[in-house]
Coordinates of all heavy atoms in Angstrom, one line a residue:
M1417 N 130.5 42.7 91.3 CA 130.8 44.1 91.3 C 132.3 44.2 91.7 O 132.7 43.7 92.7 CB 129.9 44.8 92.3 CG 130.1 46.3 92.2 SD 129.1 47.3 93.3 CE 127.5 46.8 92.8
S1418 N 133.0 45.0 90.9 CA 134.5 45.2 91.2 C 134.6 46.2 92.3 O 133.7 47.0 92.6 CB 135.2 45.5 90.0 OG 134.9 46.8 89.6
D1419 N 135.9 46.3 92.9 CA 136.2 47.2 93.9 C 136.1 48.7 93.4 O 135.7 49.6 94.1 CB 137.6 47.0 94.5 CG 137.6 45.7 95.3 OD1 136.5 45.3 95.8 OD2 138.7 45.1 95.5
N1420 N 136.5 48.9 92.1 CA 136.4 50.2 91.6 C 135.0 50.8 91.5 O 134.8 51.9 91.8 CB 137.1 50.3 90.2 CG 138.6 50.4 90.3 OD1 139.2 50.7 91.3 ND2 139.3 50.1 89.2
Q1421 N 134.1 49.9 91.0 CA 132.7 50.3 90.9 C 132.1 50.6 92.2 O 131.4 51.6 92.4 CB 131.9 49.3 90.2 CG 132.2 49.2 88.7 CD 131.4 48.0 88.0 OE1 130.9 47.1 88.7 NE2 131.4 48.1 86.7
F1422 N 132.4 49.8 93.2 CA 131.9 50.0 94.6 C 132.5 51.3 95.1 O 131.8 52.1 95.7 CB 132.2 48.8 95.5 CG 131.7 49.0 96.9 CD1 130.4 48.8 97.1 CD2 132.6 49.3 97.9 CE1 129.9 49.0 98.4 CE2 132.1 49.5 99.2 CZ 130.8 49.3 99.4
S1423 N 133.7 51.5 94.9 CA 134.4 52.7 95.4 C 133.8 53.9 94.8 O 133.6 54.9 95.5 CB 135.9 52.6 95.2 OG 136.5 53.8 95.5
L1424 N 133.6 53.9 93.5 CA 133.0 55.0 92.8 C 131.6 55.3 93.2 O 131.3 56.5 93.5 CB 133.1 54.8 91.3 CG 132.6 55.9 90.4 CD1 133.5 57.2 90.6 CD2 132.7 55.5 88.9
K1425 N 130.8 54.3 93.4 CA 129.4 54.5 93.9 C 129.4 55.0 95.3 O 128.6 55.9 95.6 CB 128.6 53.2 93.8 CG 128.3 52.8 92.4 CD 127.4 51.6 92.4 CE 127.0 51.2 91.0 NZ 126.1 50.1 90.9
T1426 N 130.3 54.5 96.1 CA 130.4 55.0 97.5 C 130.8 56.5 97.5 O 130.3 57.3 98.3 CB 131.4 54.2 98.3 OG1 131.0 52.8 98.3 CG2 131.5 54.6 99.7
K1427 N 131.8 56.9 96.7 CA 132.3 58.2 96.6 C 131.1 59.1 96.1 O 131.0 60.3 96.6 CB 133.5 58.4 95.7 CG 134.7 57.8 96.3 CD 135.9 57.9 95.4 CE 137.2 57.3 96.0 NZ 138.3 57.4 95.1
N1428 N 130.4 58.7 95.1 CA 129.3 59.5 94.6 C 128.2 59.7 95.6 O 127.7 60.8 95.8 CB 128.7 58.8 93.4 CG 129.6 59.0 92.1 OD1 130.4 59.8 92.1 ND2 129.3 58.1 91.1
L1429 N 127.9 58.6 96.4 CA 126.9 58.7 97.4 C 127.3 59.7 98.5 O 126.6 60.5 99.0 CB 126.6 57.3 98.0 CG 125.5 57.3 99.1 CD1 124.2 57.8 98.6 CD2 125.4 55.9 99.7
I1430 N 128.6 59.6 98.9 CA 129.1 60.5 100.0 C 129.1 61.9 99.4 O 128.7 62.9 100.2 CB 130.5 60.1 100.4 CG1 130.5 58.8 101.2 CG2 131.2 61.2 101.2 CD1 131.8 58.1 101.4
G1431 N 129.4 62.1 98.2 CA 129.4 63.5 97.6 C 128.0 64.1 97.6 O 127.8 65.2 97.9
I1432 N 127.0 63.3 97.2 CA 125.6 63.7 97.2 C 125.2 64.1 98.6 O 124.5 65.1 98.8 CB 124.7 62.6 96.5 CG1 125.0 62.5 95.0 CG2 123.3 63.0 96.8 CD1 124.4 61.4 94.3
L1433 N 125.5 63.2 99.5 CA 125.1 63.5 100.9 C 125.8 64.8 101.5 O 125.1 65.6 102.2 CB 125.5 62.3 101.8 CG 124.7 61.1 101.6 CD1 125.2 59.9 102.5 CD2 123.2 61.3 101.9
V1434 N 127.0 65.0 101.1 CA 127.7 66.3 101.5 C 127.0 67.5 100.9 O 126.8 68.5 101.6 CB 129.2 66.2 101.2 CG1 129.8 67.6 101.3 CG2 129.9 65.2 102.0
V1435 N 126.7 67.4 99.6 CA 126.0 68.5 99.0 C 124.7 68.8 99.6 O 124.3 70.0 99.9 CB 125.9 68.3 97.5 CG1 124.9 69.3 96.8 CG2 127.2 68.3 96.8
I1436 N 123.9 67.8 99.9 CA 122.6 67.9 100.6 C 122.8 68.5 101.9 O 122.0 69.5 102.3 CB 121.9 66.6 100.6 CG1 121.4 66.1 99.2 CG2 120.7 66.6 101.6 CD1 120.9 64.7 99.2
L1437 N 123.8 68.1 102.7 CA 124.0 68.6 104.0 C 124.4 70.1 104.0 O 124.0 70.9 104.7 CB 125.1 67.8 104.7 CG 125.4 68.2 106.2 CD1 124.2 68.0 107.0 CD2 126.6 67.4 106.7
V1438 N 125.3 70.4 103.0 CA 125.8 71.8 102.9 C 124.6 72.8 102.5 O 124.6 73.9 102.9 CB 126.9 71.9 101.8 CG1 127.2 73.3 101.4 CG2 128.2 71.2 102.4
V1439 N 123.7 72.3 101.7 CA 122.5 73.1 101.4 C 121.5 73.1 102.4 O 120.9 74.2 102.8 CB 121.9 72.6 100.0 CG1 120.6 73.3 99.7 CG2 122.9 72.8 98.9
L1440 N 121.2 72.0 103.0 CA 120.1 71.8 104.0 C 120.4 72.4 105.3 O 119.5 73.0 106.0 CB 119.7 70.3 104.1 CG 118.5 70.0 104.9 CD1 117.3 70.7 104.2 CD2 118.3 68.5 105.0
L1441 N 121.6 72.3 105.8 CA 122.0 72.8 107.1 C 121.7 74.3 107.3 O 121.1 74.7 108.3 CB 123.4 72.4 107.5 CG 123.8 72.6 108.9 CD1 123.0 71.8 109.8 CD2 125.3 72.3 109.1
P1442 N 122.2 75.2 106.4 CA 121.9 76.6 106.5 C 120.4 76.9 106.5 O 120.0 77.8 107.2 CB 122.7 77.3 105.4 CG 123.7 76.3 105.0 CD 123.2 74.9 105.3
V1443 N 119.7 76.2 105.6 CA 118.3 76.4 105.6 C 117.6 76.1 106.9 O 116.8 76.8 107.4 CB 117.6 75.6 104.4 CG1 116.1 75.6 104.5 CG2 118.1 76.1 103.1
L1444 N 118.0 75.0 107.5 CA 117.4 74.6 108.8 C 117.8 75.6 109.9 O 116.9 75.9 110.7 CB 117.9 73.2 109.2 CG 117.3 72.0 108.3 CD1 118.0 70.7 108.7 CD2 115.8 71.9 108.6
I1445 N 119.0 76.0 109.9 CA 119.5 77.0 110.9 C 118.7 78.3 110.7 O 118.2 78.9 111.7 CB 121.0 77.2 110.8 CG1 121.7 75.9 111.2 CG2 121.4 78.4 111.6 CD1 123.2 76.0 111.0
I1446 N 118.6 78.8 109.5 CA 117.9 80.1 109.3 C 116.4 80.0 109.7 O 115.9 80.8 110.4 CB 118.0 80.6 107.8 CG1 119.4 81.0 107.5 CG2 117.0 81.7 107.5 CD1 119.7 81.2 106.1
R1447 N 115.8 78.9 109.3 CA 114.3 78.8 109.6 C 114.1 78.6 111.1 O 113.2 79.2 111.7 CB 113.8 77.6 108.9 CG 112.3 77.5 109.0 CD 111.7 76.5 108.0 NE 110.2 76.7 108.0 CZ 109.4 75.7 108.4 NH1 109.9 74.5 108.7 NH2 108.1 75.9 108.3
F1448 N 115.0 77.8 111.8 CA 114.8 77.6 113.2 C 115.0 78.9 114.0 O 114.3 79.2 114.8 CB 115.8 76.5 113.7 CG 115.8 76.4 115.2 CD1 114.8 75.7 115.8 CD2 116.9 76.9 115.9 CE1 114.8 75.6 117.2 CE2 116.9 76.8 117.3 CZ 115.9 76.1 117.9
C1449 N 116.1 79.6 113.6 CA 116.4 80.9 114.3 C 115.3 81.9 114.1 O 114.9 82.6 115.0 CB 117.7 81.4 113.8 SG 119.1 80.5 114.5
W1450 N 114.8 82.0 112.9 CA 113.7 83.0 112.6 C 112.5 82.6 113.4 O 111.9 83.5 114.1 CB 113.3 83.0 111.1 CG 112.3 84.0 110.8 CD1 110.9 83.9 111.0 CD2 112.5 85.3 110.3 NE1 110.3 85.0 110.6 CE2 111.2 85.9 110.1 CE3 113.6 86.0 109.9 CZ2 111.1 87.2 109.6 CZ3 113.4 87.3 109.4 CH2 112.2 87.9 109.3
N1451 N 112.0 81.4 113.3 CA 110.8 81.0 114.0 C 111.0 81.0 115.6 O 110.0 81.1 116.3 CB 110.4 79.5 113.6 CG 110.0 79.5 112.2 OD1 109.7 80.5 111.6 ND2 110.0 78.3 111.6
W1452 N 112.2 81.0 116.1 CA 112.4 81.0 117.5 C 112.6 82.4 118.0 O 112.1 82.8 119.0 CB 113.6 80.2 117.8 CG 114.1 80.1 119.2 CD1 113.2 80.0 120.3 CD2 115.4 80.2 119.7 NE1 114.0 80.0 121.5 CE2 115.3 80.1 121.1 CE3 116.6 80.4 119.1 CZ2 116.5 80.2 121.9 CZ3 117.7 80.4 119.9 CH2 117.7 80.3 121.3
V1453 N 113.3 83.3 117.3 CA 113.7 84.6 117.7 C 112.7 85.7 117.4 O 112.4 86.5 118.2 CB 115.1 84.9 117.2 CG1 115.5 86.4 117.6 CG2 116.2 84.0 117.8
I1454 N 112.3 85.8 116.1 CA 111.5 86.9 115.7 C 110.2 87.1 116.5 O 109.9 88.2 116.9 CB 111.2 86.8 114.2 CG1 112.6 86.9 113.4 CG2 110.2 87.8 113.7 CD1 113.3 88.2 113.6
P1455 N 109.4 86.1 116.7 CA 108.2 86.3 117.5 C 108.5 86.8 118.9 O 107.6 87.6 119.5 CB 107.5 84.9 117.6 CG 108.0 84.2 116.4 CD 109.5 84.7 116.2
E1456 N 109.6 86.5 119.5 CA 109.9 87.0 120.8 C 110.5 88.4 120.8 O 110.2 89.2 121.7 CB 111.0 86.1 121.5 CG 110.4 84.7 121.9 CD 111.4 83.8 122.5 OE1 112.4 84.3 123.0 OE2 111.2 82.6 122.6
L1457 N 111.2 88.7 119.7 CA 111.8 90.1 119.6 C 110.7 91.1 119.2 O 110.7 92.3 119.7 CB 112.9 90.1 118.6 CG 114.2 89.6 119.0 CD1 115.2 89.7 117.9 CD2 114.8 90.3 120.2
F1458 N 109.8 90.7 118.3 CA 108.8 91.6 117.8 C 107.4 91.1 117.9 O 106.7 90.9 116.9 CB 109.1 91.9 116.3 CG 110.5 92.4 116.1 CD1 111.4 91.6 115.4 CD2 110.9 93.7 116.4 CE1 112.7 92.0 115.2 CE2 112.2 94.1 116.2 CZ 113.1 93.2 115.6
P1459 N 106.9 90.9 119.1 CA 105.6 90.3 119.3 C 104.5 91.1 118.8 O 103.5 90.6 118.2 CB 105.5 90.0 120.8 CG 106.4 91.0 121.4 CD 107.5 91.1 120.4
G1460 N 104.6 92.5 118.9 CA 103.6 93.4 118.4 C 103.5 93.4 116.9 O 102.4 93.3 116.3
A1461 N 104.6 93.4 116.3 CA 104.7 93.4 114.8 C 104.1 92.1 114.2 O 103.5 92.0 113.2 CB 106.1 93.6 114.3
V1462 N 104.4 91.0 114.9 CA 103.9 89.7 114.5 C 102.4 89.6 114.6 O 101.7 89.2 113.7 CB 104.6 88.5 115.3 CG1 103.9 87.2 114.9 CG2 106.1 88.4 114.9
E1463 N 101.9 90.1 115.8 CA 100.4 90.1 116.0 C 99.7 91.0 115.0 O 98.6 90.7 114.5 CB 100.1 90.6 117.4 CG 100.4 89.7 118.5 CD 100.2 90.2 119.9 OE1 99.7 91.4 120.0 OE2 100.6 89.5 120.8
Q1464 N 100.3 92.1 114.6 CA 99.7 93.0 113.6 C 99.9 92.6 112.2 O 99.3 93.1 111.3 CB 100.3 94.4 113.7 CG 99.9 95.1 115.1 CD 100.6 96.5 115.2 OE1 101.2 97.0 114.2 NE2 100.6 97.0 116.4
G1465 N 100.7 91.5 112.0 CA 100.9 91.0 110.6 C 102.0 91.8 109.9 O 102.1 91.6 108.6
L1466 N 102.7 92.6 110.5 CA 103.8 93.4 109.8 C 104.9 92.5 109.4 O 105.6 92.7 108.3 CB 104.3 94.5 110.7 CG 103.2 95.6 111.1 CD1 103.8 96.6 112.1 CD2 102.7 96.3 109.9
I1467 N 105.3 91.5 110.2 CA 106.3 90.5 109.9 C 105.7 89.2 110.2 O 104.8 89.1 111.1 CB 107.6 90.8 110.6 CG1 107.5 90.8 112.1 CG2 108.3 92.0 110.0 CD1 108.8 90.9 112.8
T1468 N 106.2 88.2 109.6 CA 105.7 86.8 109.9 C 106.4 86.2 111.0 O 107.6 86.4 111.2 CB 105.8 85.9 108.6 OG1 105.3 84.6 108.9 CG2 107.2 85.7 108.2
G1469 N 105.7 85.5 111.8 CA 106.3 84.8 113.0 C 106.8 83.4 112.6 O 107.7 82.8 113.2
Q1470 N 106.3 82.8 111.5 CA 106.7 81.5 111.0 C 107.2 81.6 109.6 O 106.4 82.0 108.7 CB 105.6 80.5 111.1 CG 105.1 80.3 112.5 CD 106.1 79.5 113.3 OE1 106.7 78.6 112.8 NE2 106.2 79.9 114.6
M1471 N 108.4 81.3 109.3 CA 109.0 81.4 107.9 C 108.8 80.1 107.2 O 109.1 79.0 107.8 CB 110.5 81.8 108.0 CG 111.1 82.0 106.6 SD 112.8 82.5 106.7 CE 112.7 84.1 107.3
S1472 N 108.3 80.2 106.0 CA 108.1 79.0 105.2 C 109.4 78.5 104.6 O 110.4 79.2 104.6 CB 107.1 79.2 104.0 OG 107.7 80.1 103.1
W1473 N 109.4 77.2 104.1 CA 110.6 76.7 103.6 C 111.1 77.5 102.4 O 112.3 77.7 102.2 CB 110.4 75.2 103.2 CG 110.3 74.3 104.4 CD1 109.1 73.7 104.8 CD2 111.3 73.9 105.3 NE1 109.4 73.0 105.9 CE2 110.7 73.1 106.2 CE3 112.7 74.2 105.4 CZ2 111.4 72.5 107.3 CZ3 113.4 73.6 106.4 CH2 112.8 72.8 107.3
G1474 N 110.1 77.8 101.5 CA 110.5 78.6 100.3 C 111.1 80.0 100.6 O 112.1 80.4 100.0
T1475 N 110.5 80.6 101.6 CA 111.0 81.9 102.0 C 112.4 81.8 102.6 O 113.3 82.6 102.4 CB 110.1 82.6 103.0 OG1 108.8 82.7 102.4 CG2 110.5 84.0 103.4
T1476 N 112.6 80.7 103.3 CA 113.9 80.5 103.9 C 115.0 80.3 102.9 O 116.1 80.9 103.0 CB 113.9 79.2 104.8 OG1 112.9 79.4 105.8 CG2 115.2 79.0 105.6
V1477 N 114.7 79.6 101.8 CA 115.6 79.3 100.7 C 115.9 80.7 100.0 O 117.0 81.0 99.7 CB 115.1 78.3 99.7 CG1 116.0 78.2 98.5 CG2 115.1 76.9 100.4
K1478 N 114.8 81.5 99.8 CA 115.0 82.8 99.1 C 115.9 83.7 100.0 O 116.8 84.4 99.4 CB 113.7 83.4 98.9 CG 112.8 82.8 97.9 CD 111.5 83.4 97.8 CE 110.5 82.6 97.0 NZ 109.1 83.2 97.0
L1479 N 115.7 83.7 101.3 CA 116.6 84.5 102.2 C 118.0 84.0 102.1 O 118.9 84.9 102.1 CB 116.0 84.4 103.6 CG 116.8 85.3 104.6 CD1 116.7 86.8 104.3 CD2 116.2 85.0 106.0
L1480 N 118.2 82.7 102.1 CA 119.6 82.2 102.0 C 120.2 82.6 100.7 O 121.4 83.0 100.6 CB 119.6 80.7 102.1 CG 120.9 80.0 102.0 CD1 121.9 80.4 103.2 CD2 120.8 78.5 102.0
I1481 N 119.5 82.5 99.6 CA 120.1 82.9 98.3 C 120.4 84.4 98.3 O 121.4 84.8 97.8 CB 119.1 82.5 97.1 CG1 119.0 81.0 97.0 CG2 119.5 83.2 95.8 CD1 117.9 80.5 96.1
A1482 N 119.5 85.2 98.8 CA 119.7 86.7 98.9 C 121.0 87.0 99.7 O 121.8 87.8 99.3 CB 118.5 87.4 99.5
A1483 N 121.2 86.3 100.8 CA 122.3 86.5 101.7 C 123.6 86.1 100.9 O 124.6 86.8 101.0 CB 122.2 85.7 103.0
I1484 N 123.6 85.0 100.2 CA 124.7 84.6 99.4 C 125.1 85.6 98.3 O 126.3 85.9 98.2 CB 124.5 83.2 98.8 CG1 124.5 82.1 99.9 CG2 125.6 82.8 97.8 CD1 124.0 80.7 99.5
I1485 N 124.1 86.1 97.6 CA 124.3 87.1 96.6 C 124.9 88.3 97.2 O 125.9 88.9 96.6 CB 123.0 87.3 95.8 CG1 122.7 86.1 95.0 CG2 123.2 88.6 94.9 CD1 121.3 86.2 94.3
L1486 N 124.3 88.8 98.3 CA 124.9 90.0 98.9 C 126.3 89.8 99.4 O 127.1 90.7 99.3 CB 124.0 90.4 100.1 CG 122.6 91.0 99.7 CD1 121.8 91.2 101.0 CD2 122.8 92.3 99.0
R1487 N 126.6 88.7 99.9 CA 128.0 88.4 100.3 C 128.9 88.4 99.2 O 130.0 88.9 99.2 CB 128.0 87.0 101.1 CG 129.2 86.9 102.0 CD 130.2 86.1 101.2 NE 131.4 85.9 102.0 CZ 132.6 86.0 101.5 NH1 132.8 86.5 100.3 NH2 133.7 85.8 102.2
M1488 N 128.5 87.8 98.0 CA 129.3 87.8 96.9 C 129.6 89.2 96.3 O 130.7 89.5 95.9 CB 128.7 86.9 95.8 CG 128.7 85.4 96.1 SD 127.7 84.4 95.0 CE 128.3 84.8 93.4
I1489 N 128.5 90.0 96.3 CA 128.7 91.4 95.8 C 129.6 92.2 96.7 O 130.4 92.9 96.3 CB 127.3 92.0 95.7 CG1 126.5 91.4 94.6 CG2 127.4 93.6 95.5 CD1 125.1 91.8 94.5
S1490 N 129.4 92.1 98.0 CA 130.1 92.9 99.0 C 131.6 92.5 99.1 O 132.4 93.4 99.3 CB 129.5 92.9 100.3 OG 129.5 91.6 100.9
F1491 N 131.9 91.3 99.0 CA 133.3 90.8 99.2 C 134.0 90.4 97.9 O 135.2 90.5 97.8 CB 133.4 89.7 100.2 CG 133.1 90.1 101.6 CD1 131.9 89.8 102.2 CD2 134.1 90.8 102.3 CE1 131.7 90.2 103.5 CE2 133.8 91.2 103.6 CZ 132.6 90.9 104.2
G1492 N 133.3 90.0 96.9 CA 133.9 89.5 95.7 C 134.9 88.4 95.9 O 134.6 87.5 96.6
N1493 N 136.0 88.6 95.3 CA 137.1 87.6 95.5 C 138.1 87.9 96.6 O 139.0 87.2 96.8 CB 137.9 87.4 94.2 CG 137.0 86.8 93.1 OD1 136.2 86.0 93.4 ND2 137.3 87.2 91.9
R1494 N 137.8 89.0 97.3 CA 138.7 89.4 98.4 C 138.6 88.4 99.6 O 137.6 87.9 99.9 CB 138.4 90.8 98.9 CG 138.6 91.8 97.8 CD 138.4 93.2 98.4 NE 136.9 93.3 98.7 CZ 136.4 94.4 99.2 NH1 137.1 95.5 99.4 NH2 135.1 94.4 99.5
R1495 N 139.7 88.2 100.2 CA 139.8 87.4 101.4 C 139.6 88.3 102.6 O 139.8 89.5 102.5 CB 141.1 86.7 101.5 CG 141.4 85.7 100.4 CD 140.7 84.4 100.6 NE 141.1 83.5 99.6 CZ 140.2 82.8 98.9 NH1 138.9 82.9 99.1 NH2 140.6 82.0 98.0
Y1496 N 139.2 87.8 103.7 CA 139.0 88.6 104.9 C 140.3 89.2 105.3 O 141.3 88.5 105.5 CB 138.5 87.7 106.1 CG 137.1 87.2 105.8 CD1 136.9 85.8 105.6 CD2 136.0 88.0 105.8 CE1 135.6 85.3 105.3 CE2 134.7 87.6 105.6 CZ 134.6 86.2 105.3 OH 133.3 85.7 105.1
G1497 N 140.3 90.5 105.5 CA 141.5 91.2 106.0 C 142.5 91.6 104.9 O 143.4 92.3 105.1
N1498 N 142.3 91.1 103.7 CA 143.2 91.4 102.5 C 142.4 92.3 101.6 O 141.6 91.9 100.8 CB 143.6 90.2 101.8 CG 144.6 90.5 100.7 OD1 145.1 91.6 100.6 ND2 145.0 89.4 100.0
Y1499 N 142.6 93.6 101.7 CA 141.8 94.6 100.9 C 142.7 95.2 99.8 O 142.4 96.4 99.4 CB 141.2 95.6 101.8 CG 140.3 95.0 102.7 CD1 140.6 94.9 104.1 CD2 139.0 94.6 102.3 CE1 139.7 94.3 105.0 CE2 138.1 94.1 103.2 CZ 138.5 93.9 104.5 OH 137.6 93.3 105.4
N1500 N 143.7 94.6 99.3 CA 144.6 95.1 98.3 C 144.0 94.9 96.9 O 143.4 94.0 96.6 CB 145.9 94.5 98.3 CG 146.6 94.8 99.6 OD1 146.4 95.9 100.2 ND2 147.5 93.9 100.1

């Protein structure tokens, strides 16, 4: 195996790992925060079933996608502090 092939495979592997980390880390943070905070903030609502105390993986991904879409709509291509 030549150095170029090894280098390319290494770069591809690192790129794939970075993409996985960039996608997985926000999902883990959102799910952990929801499952930790919401039952303590709204115990009555969780007991009555008005909101869920444990967020599923699928719901977490949907919430992340919704947050990204809302962020894109609200800010567009504008940079923070530059509203020209």
Side-chain angles (χ1 to χ4, degrees):
M1417 186 182 299
S1418 70
D1419 289 337
N1420 279 345
Q1421 288 177 342
F1422 180 76
S1423 173
L1424 184 60
K1425 287 185 179 185
T1426 303
K1427 288 179 183 179
N1428 286 341
L1429 181 61
I1430 291 172
I1432 290 170
L1433 291 175
V1434 167
V1435 168
I1436 289 172
L1437 183 65
V1438 166
V1439 171
L1440 190 60
L1441 190 62
V1443 170
L1444 289 172
I1445 291 170
I1446 290 171
R1447 188 164 191 245
F1448 173 75
C1449 288
W1450 182 280
N1451 293 342
W1452 178 44
V1453 173
I1454 294 300
E1456 291 181 18
L1457 283 178
F1458 308 108
V1462 172
E1463 288 176 6
Q1464 293 176 12
L1466 299 174
I1467 57 174
T1468 182
Q1470 298 291 319
M1471 187 180 285
S1472 69
W1473 290 107
T1475 304
T1476 306
V1477 171
K1478 291 175 191 175
L1479 182 62
L1480 179 64
I1481 291 170
I1484 291 170
I1485 290 171
L1486 287 173
R1487 199 261 181 226
M1488 290 169 53
I1489 290 171
S1490 64
F1491 288 105
N1493 290 328
R1494 294 183 295 182
R1495 300 279 186 229
Y1496 294 110
N1498 184 9
Y1499 298 104
N1500 296 328

